[in-house]
Amino acid sequence: MLKTTLLRLLEALATLLCATLLLFLLIRIAPGDPVQILLGRPGEAGVTDTAMQERQAAELRERLGLEDPVAVQYGRWMERLLRLDLGESIHTGRSVGAELAERLPATAALALAALAIQLALGLGLGIASALRAGGMSDQLIRIVCVVLASTPAFVLGLGLLLVFAVRLGMYEISSAATLARLWLPAATLGLIGAPQLIRVVRANLLSEFGQVYIVAARARGLGRGRLALHALRNSLASIVTVAALSLAALISGAVVIESLFAWPGVGKYALDSIMLKDYPVIQGYALVMIALMIGLHLAVELVYALLDPRIRRQGRRIRHDAV
Amino acid sequence: MTQSDGATGPLAGPAAAPRRIRIRAGRHAGLIGGCILLGLLALLIFGASFITPYDPLEQRIAERLQPPGLEHPLGTDRFGRDVLARTLHGGQYTLIASAAALGGALGIGLLIGLGAGMMHGTWIDALLMRIIDVLMSFPFMVLALVVAALLGTSLLHLLLAVVAVWWVAFARLARSVALQARQETSYAAARVLGASRIALLVKELLPRALGPVLILATFELGSLILSIAALSFLGLGAQPPAPEWGSMLADGRAHMLQAPHILAGPALFIVLTVLAFNLIGEGLRDRLDPYEQPGWQ
């Protein structure tokens, strides 16, 4: 187990390292001179003396180390990253790490609340439709799932806003991150993610129901509810995987919902920074999200090993398609 | 898309328990329904000029924010543009852009996946797999935001981001097909006969991979349309005044209080289009999935 864990940890670190390299190169090869962007920032624009501006640009290039070879620049950037220094925002001049840390709790609260809703719906409706496979309620759940899976999050969010904020006046439209404002965006995200989980729970339970041990248990006279619990225990691994991956999708995909509901999380911050062309923020945001994603994948593999003794012993590699 | 209708007969299979037949009929209903829905939508969208006389971009400020009526079946937006005309013409944007992005992702994915599979065991394959692993750790939304920040916001850049993310899924599938095909005698025969690498790729591997990859593509098209619409909604895709569904919804948001009806058209069309593709994709997958769901015995 320890060996497997260490191996996975190393692999995750290697992937993270490659991701930083890719991100660094992506930003380096992009058109647009960072010095121009820095000098053109609000408050310093309006420089008319071109010779003066060129001298400033050269100085800045020197100070930022942009004249050095790319490998040296990458090394310096990595060194700062290891000290958890993500640089400063061009717009506010504050540390990107601090700005992101301020907004992460709002995003985490939204994602966790959405995950809770998603799990409740996924387990409840998934078990219900597996128990009555082929019946009316199963068909109904299936139809609702297909329609819901075809609905963009922002369309559902707009619809819910229309009903609860405009018609019923039950939801306050503001930009505060309070509990009273959490339920509607969380419900939107939870509903959008639920169909996938319902489907996985249903499919897993159905394939367990076909196993010999369930037939034996039925022959001994166990009720369907008890059988579902037994089957659920055996399909836990894949349910945990889907839940963890959808948590990753919730955190990174929350951009749309945060923007729609004016929820002050990291996604909305990153989006606003794009409009301001605040590169360090985008870079920092992307890095944090990728690290989070890799961390969640790692956690899934370790939990998998804990849940399934066969993997613990063989260290078999689990592959799952990411979102 | 409609050619799959004809092939439904043989799969009805031998007589089984009554319940199973009902489930199977239901599955076909999804596939057929999806094809019909898609056909209808395509007819409406590409026949837009015959259905509504209005120009999707023409502004008539005097007629702004009108409720639905005989003149404008879905009302008018804040510039007095006809919402029906914008919705239908906007569909062309969405469908063509999604098809282009999918085509790009498919081409790159097939080429890299089959190439990697063919060179299995070499450092090229190992490197490509590593790149795929890394790209899979990039959440799509995050990469799209980075691309938009670096290149600026436009539909073309959005499509680039979509291609950059989506080819991975196709490459992985194509690679696994190529790995299987390498074991077969016909592949070995072609190699012994001195076929070049390109000939092997095009004649031996491509025909085998095309089927599964196209099915995956149908299945992915729905979520691809959702992603493009979501990013356009955020202002990272098609720019105004282009009539794209996502950006129309973002635009109509400001008038949600006075004129919520301007949201109805694009919202309905987006859901129906994705629904059509999802039904087709799911129907195809169910038909080709060899594993029957066992259920209670």
Side-chain angles (χ1 to χ4, degrees):
Chain A
M1 182 67 197
L2 188 68
K3 199 177 136 206
T4 321
T5 312
L6 280 177
L7 212 66
R8 293 282 169 278
L9 201 63
L10 275 180
E11 254 182 25
L13 280 177
T15 310
L16 188 58
L17 197 68
C18 294
T20 61
L21 187 62
L22 199 66
L23 197 62
F24 179 78
L25 289 177
L26 211 63
I27 290 190
R28 291 299 309 167
I29 59 171
D33 184 356
V35 171
Q36 291 283 314
I37 294 156
L38 273 173
L39 285 180
R41 79 189 192 200
E44 280 186 23
V47 185
T48 41
D49 187 350
T50 39
M52 164 95 165
Q53 194 178 18
E54 242 152 62
R55 215 172 46 241
Q56 267 187 338
E59 252 172 51
L60 198 59
R61 230 179 278 274
E62 184 71 41
R63 192 155 59 83
L64 293 175
L66 290 173
E67 305 287 352
D68 296 333
V70 176
V72 176
Q73 290 185 39
Y74 176 67
R76 206 161 36 218
W77 185 60
M78 278 309 289
E79 189 203 5
R80 294 222 327 259
L81 277 187
L82 285 179
R83 286 188 272 119
L84 296 179
D85 178 4
L86 293 172
E88 278 113 38
S89 156
I90 296 176
H91 188 63
T92 62
R94 289 187 58 206
S95 139
V96 172
E99 296 259 17
L100 285 175
E102 245 169 50
R103 289 167 175 86
L104 260 176
T107 298
L110 179 56
L112 288 176
L115 185 68
I117 293 171
Q118 198 174 322
L119 275 174
L121 285 174
L123 287 176
L125 296 181
I127 293 172
S129 63
L131 284 177
R132 309 209 188 314
M136 275 292 283
S137 49
D138 179 36
Q139 301 284 5
L140 192 70
I141 291 172
R142 195 180 159 118
I143 291 170
V144 171
C145 278
V146 170
V147 174
L148 210 52
S150 309
T151 309
F154 59 92
V155 168
L156 183 66
L158 275 172
L160 291 177
L161 264 181
L162 207 58
V163 172
F164 289 102
V166 179
R167 292 265 186 282
L168 300 177
M170 283 166 63
Y171 187 77
E172 171 202 357
I173 298 178
S174 74
S175 63
T178 59
L179 269 182
R181 288 194 72 246
L182 178 63
W183 63 276
L184 205 53
T188 309
L189 273 174
L191 278 171
I192 287 293
Q196 197 196 4
L197 200 61
I198 293 174
R199 195 172 300 177
V200 169
V201 170
R202 179 182 181 275
N204 268 293
L205 285 186
L206 280 185
S207 78
E208 289 297 325
F209 286 163
Q211 305 283 323
V212 185
Y213 76 94
I214 291 282
V215 178
R218 276 190 87 190
R220 290 212 317 275
L222 259 69
R224 287 194 165 189
R226 288 288 298 279
L227 291 180
L229 276 182
H230 282 294
L232 201 62
R233 168 78 182 81
N234 272 350
S235 18
L236 214 51
S238 39
I239 293 171
V240 166
T241 309
V242 174
L245 291 183
S246 68
L247 182 64
L250 283 173
I251 292 173
S252 66
V255 185
V256 179
I257 290 304
E258 284 179 6
S259 155
L260 177 60
F261 289 89
W263 184 255
V266 281
K268 182 157 188 316
Y269 178 52
L271 192 67
D272 294 342
S273 304
I274 289 181
M275 304 306 168
L276 296 168
K277 294 222 170 290
D278 203 337
Y279 289 85
V281 173
I282 309 288
Q283 203 174 15
Y285 165 76
L287 262 179
V288 170
M289 285 298 140
I290 291 164
L292 210 64
M293 199 79 164
I294 293 174
L296 270 169
H297 277 239
L298 181 69
V300 166
E301 293 198 343
L302 295 182
V303 169
Y304 231 109
L306 281 177
L307 289 176
D308 191 338
R310 282 168 304 182
I311 300 167
R312 205 176 328 168
R313 242 171 278 130
Q314 298 166 2
R316 182 159 56 91
R317 169 103 184 156
I318 310 290
R319 289 234 161 238
H320 32 65
D321 286 75
V323 226
Chain B
M1 286 298 159
T2 39
Q3 78 269 28
S4 37
D5 287 0
T8 49
L11 248 117
R19 169 178 285 183
R20 268 187 155 161
I21 286 177
R22 208 171 70 212
I23 294 177
R24 277 188 169 167
R27 283 180 186 175
H28 288 309
L31 183 58
I32 295 166
C35 289
I36 293 174
L37 184 59
L38 186 65
L40 280 177
L41 286 169
L43 215 62
L44 281 174
I45 287 169
F46 289 102
S49 321
F50 300 102
I51 292 167
T52 165
Y54 294 101
D55 183 325
L57 299 179
E58 192 194 348
Q59 303 186 0
R60 300 178 185 197
I61 301 296
E63 297 174 19
R64 69 193 296 268
L65 295 179
Q66 281 188 359
L70 284 175
E71 191 81 349
H72 301 283
L74 292 177
T76 56
D77 71 0
R78 62 182 167 134
F79 295 113
R81 295 174 297 202
D82 184 63
V83 175
L84 180 67
R86 284 180 70 71
T87 305
L88 295 182
H89 283 280
Q92 298 176 6
Y93 255 87
T94 305
L95 288 185
I96 294 172
S98 316
L102 192 71
L106 209 67
I108 296 175
L110 271 173
L111 188 71
I112 294 184
L114 292 181
M118 200 161 73
M119 292 181 228
H120 180 61
T122 66
W123 63 270
I124 298 177
D125 180 41
L127 179 73
L128 286 173
M129 286 322 284
R130 196 76 245 168
I131 292 176
I132 285 177
D133 270 354
V134 172
L135 275 179
M136 275 179 56
S137 69
F138 272 64
F140 170 66
M141 272 295 175
V142 174
L143 190 79
L145 290 182
V146 170
V147 169
L150 293 178
L151 301 179
T153 52
S154 83
L155 187 59
L156 184 69
H157 298 153
L158 167 60
L159 295 184
L160 274 180
V162 169
V163 172
V165 170
W166 247 276
W167 68 267
V168 175
F170 298 119
R172 287 178 45 155
L173 183 61
R175 180 174 177 271
S176 68
V177 172
L179 286 183
Q180 255 176 15
R182 271 163 59 101
Q183 312 289 330
E184 285 173 30
T185 346
S186 63
Y187 183 84
R191 273 190 72 177
V192 170
L193 287 172
S196 69
R197 280 198 168 151
I198 294 170
L200 282 175
L201 191 86
V202 174
K203 288 196 180 144
E204 293 297 319
L205 301 181
L206 192 62
R208 282 171 225 264
L210 221 47
V213 167
L214 279 179
I215 289 164
L216 180 66
T218 321
F219 206 64
E220 293 280 317
L221 202 51
S223 55
L224 205 144
I225 293 175
L226 284 182
S227 303
I228 292 180
L231 288 163
S232 291
F233 178 77
L234 292 177
L236 302 179
Q239 297 298 307
E244 202 277 341
W245 292 337
S247 53
M248 280 173 74
L249 285 168
D251 204 46
R253 187 162 48 149
H255 298 279
M256 211 164 76
L257 290 177
Q258 315 103 291
H261 61 266
I262 53 181
L263 300 173
L268 191 68
F269 265 77
I270 219 171
V271 173
L272 288 180
T273 308
V274 178
L275 184 65
F277 282 117
N278 280 351
L279 285 176
I280 294 171
E282 202 157 311
L284 282 179
R285 193 179 60 172
D286 277 351
R287 271 188 53 179
L288 298 163
D289 192 1
Y291 303 103
E292 186 88 3
Q293 283 179 344
W296 301 106
Q297 304 218 331

